[in-house]
Amino acid sequence: MIRQSFDDSLGSLVQDILRMGSIVENMLDNSVESLKLQDLKLAQEVLKMENEIDSLEQEIEHKCLRLIATQQPFAKDLRRITAGFKIITDLERMADYCEDIAKVTLRIGAEDLIKPLIDIPRMSLLTQRMLKDALDSFAYENIELAYQMCKDDDEVDHIYAQVIRELLTYMMENPKTISQATSLMFVGRYIERIADHATNIGERVIFLVTGIKKELND
Ligand code: FE
Ligand code: FE
């Protein structure tokens, strides 16, 4: 294969990864919306999208391996492909967490929410932006953006701590809220983990561009 067609395959690999990423972004949005609006149909949609993500991951994984096997790329080209390979693993884990959130929606069903959800959707929006920035940083190999998006993780962690504190107060005041409050704590936890996976993507981009490993979430 000549260089041009290698670049084409690499370009189409990046496009596939971005497409997978935007589905995950949608899944996060939909899963948290489904919880907020108690929309069980929307939650079911998220479960369907998760299957789509699983097969997309497999498909992209094959593309990566085929590219390595047929091109024997080295240096930066190899780092590009391995970054992609690892990013899809992060995306797949994020999709699993979105599925977990949608399952909480289904579990709560029509029962009254113990409180209007404010902080959880705020965490979700911030995390969606992190994911979008992480993918942009990958697409453009922009390490400034990667560093910057990783900083947002502190804010997500901060809101998460607040969510836990608030839900604990509800539980202590009214034991009847314990079961739902626990489920909502899990949702907070899932979003927090999704944001951590977004920072993993940022770290992979930094490694891809600089060749240096950095830990940006602690
Ligand atoms: Fe999965
Ligand atoms: Fe975190």
Side-chain angles (χ1 to χ4, degrees), residues 153 156-157 192 195-196 217-218:
D153 187 58
V156 172
D157 291 348
E192 197 276 323
D196 288 346
N217 61 329
D218 28 46

Side-chain angles (χ1 to χ4, degrees), residues 50-51 53-54 57 92-93 95-96 99:
E50 209 281 322
N51 291 330
I53 285 295
D54 284 345
E57 188 204 14
E92 199 279 324
R93 294 297 300 129
D96 288 345
E99 180 181 31

